[in-house]
Amino acid sequence: MNQPIQNAHEETLDPQDWDAVERLGLQIMREAVAHVRDVRDRPIWRNPTEEIRAGFAAPLPRSGTALETVYGELTETLLPYPLGNIHPRYWMWYMGAGTFGGALADFLAAIDGSNLGGGNNAAALMDNQVIAWLKQMMGFPESASGTLTSGGSMANIIGLTVARNAKAGVDIREEGVAAMPQPLRYYASDQVHSCHQKGMELLGLGNKTLRRIPSGADLRMDMAALRDAIAEDRAAGYRPACVIATAGTVNTGAIDPLTEIADLCAGEDMWFHVDGCIGALIAIAPRYRHLMAGLERADSMALDPHKLLHVPFEAGCALVRDADRHRGTFAVHPEYLEDKPRGIASAEYLQDYGAQTSRGFRALKVWMTLKEHGVDKLGRLIDQNIDQTHALAALIDAEPLLKRVSDVAVDIVCFRYEPEPRMSDEALCDLNTEIMLRLQEEGIAAFSDTRVKGRHCLRVAICNHRTTRTDLELVVREICRIGAELRAETR
Ligand SMILES: *Cc1c(COP(=O)(O)O)cnc(C)c1O
């Protein structure tokens, strides 16, 4: 091995000076620790300035720049302007807050560099172990299968696809949807997440195939309405194929009646899919896991480690009870991807469980999160978020100017600022929207707004291991302060 490693005309992407890279790496690590440690001291969000925006319109670089210069640029243009979800008072939409261990995992996954499409290597063994652990956490049998995905949307689409192929009544992979003897029908509550509409469209079934069943006053699927819809569709020649139960809706956190839906699906020969992107992980929470009873009976489910497990984006997971049906929906083995008796190609192809060929090593950050913290603590933190949401609801109820619009089912609460009893819905919508935007722009807290049964409201979703009760008290005070200022401005 005494030959020169590189010939003069050959190039590589490796650094010229490994010692300099090591020094830069240590600097980045030091500053990254401070970035996460001190997140509470920074505003939750700031709007990227015109100068920053202009920087992202810079032309394609033709030649390279020293890595430390590139990093220096990022500390000014990128890191000061995040979405804000690692901050303790980020309760907008629904997403995890990240962890330092998770960030290290993403770094190490890239260092390992394995492509998790398939192959005989330790990363693939770890991917299998993570699926085994997630099945156990969800009460799924060992014989079930699963796959890590970009997120809950892809995980749901995997479930809806396996359901379609199972109920199509034809070899749909070969013949396509046009060959189905009967049109299918899927059912979900009117609170269903929008990714299911995308899914129905992508599957070639069309949005209308997904019948929205009215939700009751508690925003859970109305079972009588579901039964009526199924009977009506059967009589009209449709094949009722699948019920999508939501375990924690995005609007209010309502949990559809999982056990009743499981019973109904068993009786009607229908596929039972659970969208557990918000709630499924509550199955590991010691005090609230009873809320998820019935989840373990799903034929397929979607859950989201990048939400209540706080794994950095992206990490979703689809689980399917019948592993053969799961593989039978996606596996394709062209001549260039054949199993071999030994060597690198001698393992199961992980790409057989979804639409991707190349797959990132997202298993590592889920694995490291479970190893570092243990499932017991992760479960307690979910309990903590649900308790905090009940505590916030109590603060809202105790404040005469705030009115609650939804019950607390899990870790979401909807409410609005209502200073006067006779204000129109439109005026209230304007006022509450302005409060929400000022809280963001002043860097205090982030939450979203929505409509519950037609009424505009503010929505707080506490999926955040950094939130404390003090944060909740602060935000109630700040809502009332900004509300009072706005009313003074309009007088
Ligand atoms: C977040 C969410 C999704 C989508 O999951 P992603 O991880 O964002 O793709 C689907 N359903 C529900 C109920 C969700 O909360």
Side-chain angles (χ1 to χ4, degrees), residues 277-355:
C277 288
I278 287 180
L281 283 160
I282 296 172
I284 64 167
R287 284 186 293 103
Y288 289 104
R289 61 164 54 115
H290 61 274
L291 296 174
M292 288 299 131
L295 176 78
E296 72 292 346
R297 292 176 61 190
D299 290 307
S300 57
M301 86 164 77
L303 64 142
D304 241 351
H306 63 204
K307 291 179 177 172
L308 277 169
L309 289 188
H310 306 289
V311 168
F313 292 99
E314 305 163 336
C317 175
L319 297 181
V320 180
R321 176 172 307 277
D322 182 336
D324 290 338
R325 279 210 182 280
H326 186 184
R327 214 179 299 108
T329 299
F330 294 104
V332 186
H333 285 237
E335 67 283 5
Y336 44 85
L337 290 177
E338 273 174 3
D339 292 354
K340 292 290 174 288
R342 301 195 316 279
I344 294 176
S346 64
E348 188 187 34
Y349 280 92
L350 296 173
Q351 60 186 243
D352 286 356
Y353 296 90

Side-chain angles (χ1 to χ4, degrees), residues 403-417:
K403 291 279 175 303
R404 202 132 61 79
V405 174
S406 71
D407 293 334
V408 176
V410 288
D411 51 8
I412 298 175
V413 61
C414 295
F415 60 98
R416 60 186 185 180
Y417 181 72

Side-chain angles (χ1 to χ4, degrees), residues 161-435:
T161 310
V162 184
R164 182 197 63 180
N165 293 15
K167 301 298 179 188
V170 66
D171 178 356
I172 201 165
R173 290 187 65 181
E174 197 57 28
E175 308 294 339
V177 286
M180 292 192 306
Q182 280 176 290
L184 303 183
R185 272 285 161 90
Y186 285 48
Y187 306 83
S189 96
D190 55 15
Q191 300 294 303
V192 72
H193 190 274
S194 57
C195 71
H196 296 278
Q197 175 176 340
K198 279 195 201 176
M200 298 310 283
E201 293 168 5
L202 285 169
L203 289 178
L205 298 173
N207 183 34
K208 275 191 189 163
T209 294
L210 176 56
R211 230 180 127 160
R212 273 72 164 182
I213 305 299
S215 51
D218 55 4
L219 296 148
R220 307 163 79 210
M221 190 168 352
D222 178 337
M223 289 304 292
L226 174 62
R227 284 193 191 91
D228 289 349
I230 291 171
E232 186 184 292
D233 285 344
R234 271 201 205 288
Y238 291 97
R239 163 113 200 230
C242 172
V243 181
I244 302 166
T246 305
T249 60
V250 68
N251 266 332
T252 66
I255 303 162
D256 286 337
L258 302 176
T259 301
E260 282 176 70
I261 294 173
D263 289 342
L264 178 140
C265 285
E268 296 274 352
D269 185 28
M270 292 173 71
W271 191 271
F272 175 34
H273 176 79
V274 175
D275 178 350
C277 288
I278 287 180
L281 283 160
I282 296 172
I284 64 167
R287 284 186 293 103
Y288 289 104
R289 61 164 54 115
H290 61 274
L291 296 174
M292 288 299 131
L295 176 78
E296 72 292 346
R297 292 176 61 190
D299 290 307
S300 57
M301 86 164 77
L303 64 142
D304 241 351
H306 63 204
K307 291 179 177 172
L308 277 169
L309 289 188
H310 306 289
V311 168
F313 292 99
E314 305 163 336
C317 175
L319 297 181
V320 180
R321 176 172 307 277
D322 182 336
D324 290 338
R325 279 210 182 280
H326 186 184
R327 214 179 299 108
T329 299
F330 294 104
V332 186
H333 285 237
E335 67 283 5
Y336 44 85
L337 290 177
E338 273 174 3
D339 292 354
K340 292 290 174 288
R342 301 195 316 279
I344 294 176
S346 64
E348 188 187 34
Y349 280 92
L350 296 173
Q351 60 186 243
D352 286 356
Y353 296 90
Q356 285 181 237
T357 305
S358 289
R359 298 176 65 248
F361 188 7
R362 43 175 74 95
L364 182 55
K365 55 194 169 184
V366 184
W367 191 91
M368 266 177 70
T369 299
L370 291 167
K371 284 284 271 194
E372 182 190 355
H373 301 293
V375 77
D376 292 347
K377 179 174 183 186
L378 292 163
R380 289 198 301 277
L381 282 162
I382 295 172
D383 276 341
Q384 177 171 301
N385 277 165
I386 300 175
D387 283 341
Q388 285 168 338
T389 310
H390 283 286
L392 177 61
L395 291 173
I396 291 166
D397 293 346
E399 170 50 62
L401 299 180
L402 299 178
K403 291 279 175 303
R404 202 132 61 79
V405 174
S406 71
D407 293 334
V408 176
V410 288
D411 51 8
I412 298 175
V413 61
C414 295
F415 60 98
R416 60 186 185 180
Y417 181 72
E418 277 189 24
E420 290 155 36
R422 282 182 312 280
M423 277 179 83
S424 70
D425 199 65
E426 209 186 319
L428 282 171
C429 175
D430 290 347
L431 179 60
N432 279 273
T433 304
E434 188 60 27
I435 291 173

